[in-house]
Amino acid sequence: MHVLVTGATGFVGGHLAPALLAAGHSVRALVRDPSEYAPPDGVDVATGDLLDAGSFDAALAGIDVAYYLVHSMRAGTDYAERDRRAARNFRRAADAAGVDRVVYLGGLGEDDETLSEHLRSRREVEFLLKEGEYDLTTFRAAIIIGAGSASFRMIRELTTRLPVLVTPRWVRTDCHPIAIDDVIAYLVDVLDTPETAGETYEIGGPEVLTYAEILRRTGRIMGTGEPKIVPIPVLTPKLSAYWVGLLTDVPSSVARPLIHGLKTPVVADTEAAQAQFTVDLTPFADAVWLALSEPRSRETAQAAAATGGAGR
């Protein structure tokens, strides 16, 4: 199958392209700057920017399935408008090229006023993509555990910087983390199941944890010890983002929308995904070990490249 991966320089896209190759597919990667992308052997590289209509049309020629893994969260406060424009440009180009299917990775959360701006933007992109003439398959996930994940990087650095964490109340919020290898398994397997076209699947790992439990377990696995967590009600999302910016190396443009999203419970209803796919889910502890064992050089490269690509 001829496949296009947008956001190929980002966290998820960087893992997906080689996995698609290993599964026997013909893979093309869409990147804005090919000089910053070292493609796996066998990946065809196309240049274009989803924010620049017409610049990437050639990348869609002859493509059966396109993966939409782009978001602009690192670009600043106008990321929602940029994501909106990119999704519309992509939809028009994919329709014109006659793409059969699009696979989108979005975020969890109920469709109501409790969604943060970041999660609302991810859902809006999903709805915009649904208006295309192709069949859209959507996966929704919460925190993805892996080297290069902005969310996991934030968690890892918080657990190592201070033995006592004075945190907002969001540490009590439920979350459904999932290993990057499991996400990739879903994204690859969908190509072998045509009946998934037009469907939406919520995916998560084998455990639902609060953010406090995630912080404690990560500290224990890293050998730094469980941080003592003291939730206090006066830390607003704005103050929390400032606090995270002081304690971690995660850019404030990324930390701010992520922190705002942490107040929303993100627990997957995995029944449909489990009925359709046979993914052997990775326990949280194993996912953390795998993330920590991945070469830091790859994580650094992915984080740098993801300023306009897909990361989570």
Side-chain angles (χ1 to χ4, degrees):
M1 196 171 292
H2 297 283
V3 178
L4 176 70
V5 177
T6 68
T9 60
F11 167 49
V12 176
H15 285 81
L16 179 60
L20 289 168
L21 279 175
H25 299 289
S26 173
V27 181
R28 181 179 298 160
L30 176 65
V31 299
R32 290 184 303 171
D33 185 354
S35 68
E36 296 182 355
Y37 179 54
D41 290 340
V43 170
D44 176 35
V45 179
T47 304
D49 186 346
L50 295 189
L51 292 172
D52 182 9
S55 71
F56 59 93
D57 291 2
L60 288 160
I63 292 298
D64 302 309
V65 179
Y67 286 85
Y68 194 93
L69 303 174
V70 170
H71 63 78
S72 307
M73 191 169 63
R74 291 174 180 262
T77 56
D78 65 339
Y79 67 85
E81 173 54 34
R82 293 166 67 91
D83 279 346
R84 197 176 295 124
R85 189 164 85 247
R88 287 173 175 149
N89 288 344
F90 174 85
R91 183 186 68 207
R92 295 188 191 106
D95 283 347
V99 173
D100 294 327
R101 291 184 67 182
V102 171
V103 180
Y104 171 61
L105 178 62
L108 286 169
E110 294 295 328
D111 250 337
D112 56 29
E113 66 280 357
T114 64
L115 277 182
S116 68
E117 181 182 0
H118 165 53
L119 292 175
R120 282 200 306 272
S121 175
R122 307 311 303 138
R123 195 61 50 83
E124 182 182 18
V125 168
E126 178 184 326
F127 292 148
L128 288 170
L129 293 177
K130 272 185 179 178
E131 295 176 2
E133 297 173 7
Y134 44 77
D135 292 317
L136 178 71
T137 301
T138 298
F139 290 97
R140 296 174 180 169
I143 288 179
I144 300 175
I145 305 297
S149 163
S151 298
F152 178 67
R153 178 180 168 195
M154 186 169 67
I155 289 166
R156 187 190 66 211
E157 292 184 7
L158 283 175
T159 61
T160 57
R161 300 286 167 97
L162 286 176
V164 178
L165 294 177
V166 178
T167 63
R169 285 176 293 186
W170 53 253
V171 294
R172 300 185 179 125
T173 303
D174 284 334
C175 178
H176 206 162
I178 183 171
I180 180 61
D181 288 351
D182 298 348
V183 174
I184 297 304
Y186 281 117
L187 293 175
V188 173
D189 288 356
V190 74
L191 297 184
D192 295 325
T193 49
E195 61 270 26
T196 62
E199 301 296 329
T200 297
Y201 300 96
E202 296 187 353
I203 56 176
E207 301 160 271
V208 175
L209 306 168
T210 66
Y211 289 105
E213 290 172 324
I214 289 174
L215 288 164
R216 292 191 186 102
R217 289 198 190 187
T218 301
R220 188 165 65 241
I221 293 165
M222 293 182 67
T224 57
E226 293 187 9
K228 182 176 176 57
I229 295 173
V230 183
I232 60 174
V234 296
L235 274 180
T236 64
K238 183 176 181 180
L239 287 173
S240 299
Y242 179 71
W243 170 76
V244 169
L246 288 175
L247 293 178
T248 76
D249 296 327
V250 178
S252 60
S253 60
V254 175
R256 190 176 301 111
L258 287 178
I259 288 292
H260 279 261
L262 296 181
K263 61 183 173 57
T264 303
V266 280
V267 178
D269 180 355
T270 60
E271 183 177 354
Q274 290 176 346
Q276 186 63 67
F277 302 94
T278 55
V279 174
D280 188 12
L281 296 174
T282 307
F284 177 78
D286 292 346
V288 173
W289 272 117
L290 289 169
L292 295 174
S293 65
E294 189 163 347
R296 187 62 58 87
S297 58
R298 173 171 178 173
E299 178 183 13
T300 302
Q302 286 178 333
T307 52
R312 185 173 307 276

